[in-house]
Amino acid sequence: MEFNETMKINLEHDKEREVREIVAAVYDALKIKGYDPISQMVGYLLSGDPTYITSYNGARGMIVRVERDELLEELVKTYIKTL
């Protein structure tokens, strides 16, 4: 890489990766604690109540850093890609 080239920063890609990492970490924490991760995450997404998410391994703190609409958007995008 030369310093005379213009670099393009893709913040959207970084945000998507961050959301994916958070969802994966929260899923793992819920599973480890014996919860049904899908049910708990759906409960959180529908209600906005963070107590659906365990605080184990900082999962609750991570998930509240991301807006619920951003979480839903990423989940739908990922699902559509699998069709």
Side-chain angles (χ1 to χ4, degrees):
M1 154 98 43
E2 295 184 31
F3 289 107
N4 61 353
E5 296 177 10
T6 301
M7 291 184 58
K8 181 179 179 184
I9 298 174
N10 188 346
L11 296 178
E12 185 175 319
H13 180 68
D14 290 343
K15 184 66 173 177
E16 289 175 5
R17 184 173 11 144
E18 178 187 13
V19 171
R20 281 194 301 273
E21 290 171 358
I22 288 172
V23 168
V26 169
Y27 182 93
D28 289 344
L30 288 165
K31 192 145 183 96
I32 288 168
K33 293 306 282 181
Y35 296 105
D36 176 357
I38 302 300
S39 294
Q40 295 303 112
M41 292 173 86
V42 168
Y44 169 69
L45 290 168
L46 291 175
S47 71
D49 183 355
T51 60
Y52 276 96
I53 307 301
T54 183
S55 59
Y56 178 74
N57 276 352
R60 188 178 299 155
M62 283 188 277
I63 204 146
V64 298
R65 289 195 326 240
V66 181
E67 296 293 327
R68 287 183 303 151
D69 64 323
E70 290 176 302
L71 287 167
L72 284 168
E73 182 179 328
E74 187 57 35
L75 292 169
V76 170
K77 276 190 214 175
T78 302
Y79 175 76
I80 295 296
K81 289 177 185 176
T82 66
L83 298 178

